Amino acid sequence: MSHTESPALANHLMDTVLPVRPAMVDRGSGIRMKPGMVEDVIASGTAMAMVISQRKALVTAEGLWFGDATALWAALKESDAGAAAIYLGTTLMSSSLPEGTPVLLFTTTEPPAAGTATIPSDVQWAGFREVAATLDAMDTALFIEASAISNWHATHTHCPQCGSPTEVEAGGWVRRCPKDNSEHYPRTDPAIIVTVVGPDGRLLLGGGGPVDAKNYSTLAGFVEPGESLEQAVVREIGEEVGVRVTACQYLGSQSWPFPASLMLGFTATTDDTVARPDGVEVTRARWFSRDELQEAVLSGEITISTRLSIARSLIEHWYGGVIEDLQP
Ligand SMILES: [Zn+2]
């Protein structure tokens, strides 16, 4: 804030964006460059590790399961030669792990059974969506980071230039081709997700699948190469519902690595009052006033995105508060 801005203006500006969620771990992008860094962390006896296999993590009833990295790695390597270790970072606050704990991700090609090796019998395998509602901020952040990096490794095993198998470096954050020495970094696919607001202040929501389905959400789409975020907003909204966006504002983002998306949240305005779904990606679209939306949700007429997603944050940003859900 510059000293010429009034406090009232500064508050107003801060109110217009989604809250920033602080990082939960220090990713140590400097220290992880050191060759053999992961092996050193494993040997240190201070690190804890989570396990992901085939997009599922080991969880307990309370959240992510973490094992002693030294013992767990020895057991995993014995049962799975393809097991890999990735440095996720050091915790910046206390959760089920103390602050300052180095955390590793172990990935395996075949999920080891609970009750074997050093994995207790009361843990189980679960995907992010199955357990997300029960995870605290630390476990959510680690599950998201671990999903993003493990999905990248699983699908980028070979050099895109020459086809040779690549080798993992930098704590699991770089793959290098031994043949042509090219370095390859984890990829993230930007996607825009948008609340479209009409000239009367009403919100446009849409959905795919069966025309009479009940779920409504914000419109979204991937950014294409050579396109700005704003151009992607205008293009996607035009394509999906035939509405011409006249202005848009960035509100915040959410990592959504299933498999590799970064959702960039916008609110856009239009002078149009008629939406024409393309019938392919979007099969139904509807304008809502604030009262209409709350009423439709409470009556069970429609459902909207859950609190896990940035879609809900964007909708509630437009709404100006919390939208009550229908209690089952
Ligand atoms: Zn190569």
Side-chain angles (χ1 to χ4, degrees):
M1 176 181 132
S2 83
H3 66 277
T4 53
E5 282 173 347
S6 73
L9 176 61
N11 285 337
H12 170 71
L13 289 172
M14 286 168 68
D15 283 347
T16 61
V17 297
L18 303 183
V20 175
R21 295 189 173 84
M24 292 287 123
V25 297
D26 177 349
R27 295 177 177 225
S29 46
I31 59 169
R32 74 188 183 202
M33 298 305 292
K34 188 173 154 248
M37 180 268 186
V38 164
E39 290 73 14
D40 291 347
V41 173
I42 292 172
S44 72
T46 60
M48 300 296 283
M50 60 177 286
V51 187
I52 282 193
S53 188
Q54 297 172 2
R55 298 194 177 182
K56 294 190 170 190
L58 283 172
V59 301
T60 69
E62 280 82 47
L64 283 178
W65 177 75
F66 299 96
D68 171 79
T70 314
L72 185 59
W73 182 245
L76 285 179
K77 277 306 264 189
E78 198 160 298
S79 61
D80 179 3
I86 297 161
Y87 182 68
L88 294 180
T90 300
T91 56
L92 289 168
M93 57 192 73
S94 299
S95 59
S96 64
L97 301 170
E99 184 182 340
T101 305
V103 183
L104 295 163
L105 164 66
F106 294 158
T107 61
T108 70
T109 49
E110 283 297 320
T116 58
T118 50
I119 300 171
S121 54
D122 60 341
V123 299
Q124 43 186 315
W125 294 98
F128 179 74
R129 285 179 184 83
E130 294 167 67
V131 292
T134 68
L135 300 179
D136 65 15
M138 178 66 74
D139 286 0
T140 300
L142 288 170
F143 206 149
I144 291 276
E145 181 185 352
S147 297
I149 191 68
S150 60
N151 286 347
W152 176 69
H153 281 291
T155 52
H156 292 76
T157 53
H158 288 68
C159 176
Q161 291 176 187
C162 74
S164 299
T166 46
E167 293 167 355
V168 177
E169 289 186 355
W173 293 85
V174 176
R175 297 186 75 105
R176 184 187 297 276
C177 175
K179 223 171 181 181
D180 57 29
N181 208 32
S182 58
E183 288 181 344
H184 306 281
Y185 291 85
R187 305 304 305 263
T188 298
D189 301 330
I192 50 94
I193 181 164
V194 189
T195 48
V196 178
V197 182
D200 53 2
R202 289 195 300 166
L203 175 68
L204 179 63
L205 297 179
V211 178
D212 56 354
K214 284 167 65 172
N215 56 309
Y216 281 80
S217 189
T218 44
L219 301 165
F222 286 107
V223 180
E224 295 193 344
E227 188 175 51
S228 73
L229 296 176
E230 295 81 359
Q231 288 165 347
V233 168
V234 171
R235 178 183 54 76
E236 282 287 346
I237 303 306
E239 286 173 2
E240 290 187 348
V241 289
V243 163
R244 200 172 69 89
V245 164
T246 52
C248 67
Q249 182 189 9
Y250 173 73
L251 295 179
S253 65
Q254 180 184 40
S255 173
W256 197 247
F258 310 103
S261 297
L262 173 65
M263 307 305 297
L264 297 142
F266 283 81
T267 186
T269 50
T270 180
D271 295 328
D272 294 347
T273 54
V274 176
R276 295 183 184 83
D278 66 3
V280 182
E281 283 191 66
V282 177
T283 52
R284 59 193 177 283
R286 190 169 147 185
W287 298 92
F288 296 91
S289 70
R290 289 172 178 77
D291 287 348
E292 284 164 356
L293 183 64
Q294 179 64 88
E295 212 176 292
V297 170
L298 279 182
S299 71
E301 184 192 349
I302 67 162
T303 61
I304 57 172
S305 317
T306 70
R307 296 193 189 285
L308 286 181
S309 69
I310 191 173
R312 182 61 169 255
S313 305
L314 293 170
I315 293 170
E316 292 190 339
H317 175 268
W318 162 82
Y319 187 77
V322 173
I323 297 173
E324 303 293 332
D325 283 306
L326 177 64
Q327 297 305 319

